[in-house]
Amino acid sequence: MANHKSAIKRHRQSLKRRARNRAVKTRIKNVVKAVRQAVEEKDKTQAVEKLRTATSVIGKASQKGILHWKTAARKVSKLTKLVNSIE
C-alpha cells in the first residue's frame, strides 16, 4: 500500500465499497433463492410476493452500479418466467 495521504484514503474507500457491494450481492442471492424455493413449493402467491422484493433489490443494485443493467434485466426476466410457469 502506498504512503501518500490520498492513496491511503482511496484504499479506505475501496474497502468500504467492497464491503457494501458484497452485502448487496449476498442479498440478491438470498432473494433469488427465496423465489426459487417458493416456486419449488408451488406457492404462487408467495412466489409473486418474493418476486416483487427480488425485483426491487435487483433494480436498486443495478441503479447503484453493483450489477450491470443487462444482468439485472436478465435475472428479473428469468425469475418472472419461472414464477409464471407455476399453475
Side-chain angles (χ1 to χ4, degrees):
M1 194 170 84
N3 295 322
H4 296 290
K5 196 173 179 182
S6 60
I8 293 169
K9 180 178 178 181
R10 261 303 191 198
H11 182 66
R12 236 184 8 249
Q13 287 175 332
S14 72
L15 293 178
K16 277 186 188 177
R17 288 196 180 114
R18 178 174 180 260
R20 197 176 304 130
N21 291 345
R22 285 183 62 173
V24 172
K25 283 187 178 187
T26 303
R27 174 109 169 91
I28 290 169
K29 288 178 190 174
N30 289 336
V31 294
V32 167
K33 198 185 299 183
V35 173
R36 290 185 191 281
Q37 188 175 5
V39 169
E40 276 185 25
E41 295 170 359
K42 305 267 191 227
D43 190 355
K44 180 86 171 178
T45 56
Q46 191 179 11
V48 169
E49 188 179 316
K50 301 277 185 187
L51 176 66
R52 192 174 294 121
T53 53
T55 304
S56 172
V57 169
I58 292 170
K60 285 177 186 173
S62 171
Q63 284 177 336
K64 292 177 182 176
I66 296 168
L67 284 182
H68 191 272
W69 67 272
K70 285 191 177 182
T71 306
R74 188 173 58 246
K75 282 182 182 293
V76 170
S77 175
K78 280 179 124 178
L79 287 176
T80 306
K81 193 174 177 183
L82 192 66
V83 169
N84 288 339
S85 70
I86 301 174
E87 293 186 21

